[in-house]
């Protein structure tokens, strides 16, 4: 392993990238929109297997990993959890909410937008305990709502997933360690928040 990669893994184990992500989310220049939240899962290939990987039921049981992501109403990532691709989305719902990086403001109880994969009898009472009102819609429901002039909400998490796979290292997961996979994800989430909250700095960095 190169010295740079070894250092990256050390920083990942120490939680450096999570701390950076948290610092950016709590920066006064960052405006987290707590009006409502969106949560969903994404599966990516993990050809080398390893920790937090499993047979992907949508890809002929080839090795894959699942990312469960929570965003604010503008698509800023607030929490991410990884597991094997065979883990059901609903099994990662509470762990993802528990992994929230930025503390929710006191007295704020945002609605949580989910797709039909989370529509189980236990979900609504469990979310009520956590102070979130579930807003469960499928893709067709979202599209129909938009055509009727109603505001579709769950799509923001899909947009953030698209931003994540623009980072080449995250399009396919070649890592074998859970900590390294998580480190790359948290660094990408920190960069997404930085780009959204510091547009002037981002423009200067482009030159």
């Amino acid at each position: 392993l190169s010295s740079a990669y070894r250092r990256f893994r050390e920083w990942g184990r120490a939680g450096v990238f999570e701390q950076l992500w948290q610092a950016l989310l709590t920066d006064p220049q960052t405006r987290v929109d707590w009006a409502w939240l969106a949560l969903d899962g994404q599966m990516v290939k993990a050809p080398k297997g390893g920790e937090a990987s499993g047979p992907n039921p949508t890809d002929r049981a080839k090795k894959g990993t699942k990312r469960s992501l929570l965003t604010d109403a503008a698509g800023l990532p607030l929490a991410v959890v990884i597991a094997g691709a065979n883990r059901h989305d609903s099994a990662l719902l509470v762990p993802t909410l528990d992994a929230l990086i930025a503390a929710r403001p006191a007295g704020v109880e945002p609605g949580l937008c989910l797709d039909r994969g989370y529509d189980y009898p236990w979900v609504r009472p469990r979310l009520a305990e956590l102070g979130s009102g579930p807003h469960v819609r499928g893709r067709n429901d979202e599209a129909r709502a938009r055509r009727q002039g109603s505001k579709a909400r769950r799509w923001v998490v899909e947009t953030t997933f698209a931003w994540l796979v623009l980072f080449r290292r995250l399009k396919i997961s070649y890592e074998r360690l859970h900590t390294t996979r998580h480190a790359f994800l948290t660094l990408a989430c920190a960069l997404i928040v930085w780009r959204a909250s510091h547009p002037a700095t981002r423009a200067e960095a482009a030159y």
Side-chain angles (χ1 to χ4, degrees), residues 24-57:
L24 285 165
L25 281 173
T26 54
D27 188 293
Q29 205 166 327
T30 303
R31 296 183 179 179
V32 179
D33 189 346
W34 293 98
W36 45 270
L37 307 176
L39 189 151
D40 205 354
Q42 176 193 53
M43 290 186 287
V44 297
K45 295 180 179 180
K48 294 186 178 181
E51 298 172 356
S53 71
N56 187 339

Side-chain angles (χ1 to χ4, degrees), residues 32-152:
V32 179
D33 189 346
W34 293 98
W36 45 270
L37 307 176
L39 189 151
D40 205 354
Q42 176 193 53
M43 290 186 287
V44 297
K45 295 180 179 180
K48 294 186 178 181
E51 298 172 356
S53 71
N56 187 339
T58 66
D59 191 20
R60 296 174 291 173
K62 292 181 178 179
K63 291 290 185 180
T65 186
K66 176 168 286 187
R67 299 161 181 168
S68 180
L69 181 71
L70 177 72
T71 73
D72 78 344
L76 288 182
L78 301 178
V80 68
V81 168
I82 55 175
N86 54 327
R87 287 290 299 279
H88 196 276
D89 286 346
S90 62
L92 300 176
L93 174 60
V94 174
T96 306
L97 293 173
D98 288 343
L100 191 66
I101 290 291
R104 190 166 62 182
V108 174
E109 296 185 0
L112 180 62
C113 303
L114 305 164
D115 67 17
R116 294 293 183 187
Y118 298 89
D119 196 8
Y120 287 88
W122 64 268
V123 169
R124 296 174 190 274
R126 184 71 180 95
L127 291 180
E129 292 173 10
L130 296 172
S132 295
H135 172 85
V136 182
R137 280 183 174 177
R139 294 176 188 271
N140 292 336
D141 296 331
E142 287 276 274
R144 190 179 305 112
R146 295 186 74 173
R147 287 196 300 271
Q148 295 173 351
S150 181
K151 189 170 185 178

Side-chain angles (χ1 to χ4, degrees), residues 152-196:
R153 295 177 172 177
R154 197 178 52 79
W155 63 271
V156 294
V157 69
E158 304 292 349
T159 300
T160 310
F161 277 135
W163 292 341
L164 283 175
V165 295
L166 288 177
F167 294 95
R168 189 169 57 180
R169 194 77 183 224
L170 297 181
K171 191 170 186 179
I172 298 176
S173 182
Y174 289 104
E175 315 306 323
R176 294 185 60 85
L177 298 177
H178 180 285
T179 52
T180 312
R181 281 195 169 111
H182 196 259
F184 276 114
L185 268 175
T186 52
L187 176 57
C189 288
L191 288 171
I192 288 171
V193 175
W194 171 69
R195 290 173 177 177

